[in-house]
Amino acid sequence: MKFYPLTIGGIVDETPLARSFRLSPEAEHAPLFGYRAGQFLTFRIPSAGGPVERCYSLSSAPACDDEMQVTVKRVRGGPGSNWFNDVPRPGDVIQAAPPSGRFVMRRPDRPMVLFAGGSGITPVISLIKQALHETALSPRLFYANTEYDQIIFRRELDELGARFPGRLDCRHHLDAEAGLADAGRIARFAGESTDCHFFVCGPAPFMDLTVDVLAELGADDRDVFIERFTMPDDDAEAEDPADRVAGAGGVASFRATIDGEDHEVPYSAGETLLDCMLAQGLDPVHSCKDAHCGSCMVIRKSGEVAMHKSTILSKRDKERGYILLCQAVPQSADVWVDCDA
């Protein structure tokens, strides 16, 4: 992954624990930083033990914002989020890789229902701004927070509602007043119609509950889009190099479907499926290569694989056959992965 300099043009304190950063690339690198609403940037952040890489969602939208913007909420013990909230100043330069991510609008004519918990609003507000500025859609948002002063983008959501009257339905849920959001509240907000696209981002329990409720309501898995991030600091499945899984002996190749074409990809012992595909000039969607952004999630159509780390995948993800290309090694000779699913 290649990193490029971005200049911090301004910083906004969104809540006592979250800040937004307006960012601009150098002119020669500007084409690399064209992005779609809902995507994220991967940053290389200085630390005492050497640079660390962290992914943060873009809260801006190309349709209405002149500069890119990421929003970072402080996480206890998190070197990336604490650095962002303590160190940078306007005019500073930070290193970032070009935008990535698949948490994006698919169809501008399909109704959107969005569920956000806490800082999960970051890519969600990007999608809302795109929908309001570029389409005739009337997005509906269920937004859960612990308490009032933790509502990121509260003013901006109010302003969007006033600027586009009758189009943005924003329902706030505060745990301090109503308890944790439960299945009943989520189901009532989702409504009976499943003929729409659902977008879900937030803490893992909130996302898992929401996805389960949508499944019970009859939503098609293909219409539910989830943005998951886990940071190495919080990863209970932190990898011990001695525990790395190995590919099965005798596996010569695996099958990969990407951009509508099937490829027979030679397998090199000890490498992940992603590294083997990249070595053959294929370029599946990927970013961090460390199992905390989920960009390289694909469907395993056949065969068996093992993964070094898989915390970012929920139980439902695994049941549906999702794997991480950056972590998977083949355990049988008939592995077939579909990068287009």
Side-chain angles (χ1 to χ4, degrees), residues 51-73:
V52 296
E53 295 176 8
R54 296 291 184 270
C55 303
Y56 294 108
S57 293
L58 288 151
S59 52
S60 53
C64 57
D65 295 306
D66 294 332
E67 295 176 292
M68 295 183 296
Q69 176 178 281
V70 297
T71 303
V72 183
K73 183 177 180 180

Side-chain angles (χ1 to χ4, degrees), residues 112-245:
M112 297 174 67
V113 180
L114 309 102
F115 295 86
S119 60
I121 189 63
T122 304
V124 167
I125 196 170
S126 178
L127 290 168
I128 288 172
K129 289 192 283 189
Q130 179 189 20
L132 293 174
H133 283 86
E134 291 189 336
T135 78
L137 294 175
S138 297
R140 301 178 58 234
L141 168 66
F142 182 94
Y143 185 16
N145 280 282
T146 55
E147 51 194 352
Y148 184 79
D149 69 356
Q150 295 302 319
I151 301 176
I152 303 172
F153 307 129
R154 176 175 52 82
R155 284 197 189 88
E156 188 168 5
L157 287 167
D158 289 345
E159 290 168 359
L160 287 170
R163 182 174 178 183
F164 297 93
R167 289 186 57 196
L168 175 60
D169 177 7
C170 178
R171 193 79 50 84
H172 288 286
H173 174 93
L174 299 179
D175 298 345
E177 297 178 0
L180 293 173
D182 58 20
R185 288 186 174 90
I186 291 171
R188 286 191 292 275
F189 182 81
E192 296 181 359
S193 175
T194 57
D195 185 23
C196 54
H197 279 171
F198 299 95
F199 294 85
V200 186
C201 188
F206 173 82
M207 290 193 295
D208 291 343
L209 174 63
T210 302
V211 170
D212 287 345
V213 169
L214 295 176
E216 291 173 3
L217 293 174
D220 191 310
D221 286 342
R222 293 170 296 183
D223 293 333
V224 180
F225 307 101
I226 307 165
E227 184 74 321
R228 294 186 185 273
F229 287 103
T230 62
M231 291 298 102
D233 328 274
D234 307 320
D235 191 345
E237 198 177 322
E239 179 188 355
D240 181 341
D243 294 334
R244 287 181 65 87
V245 294

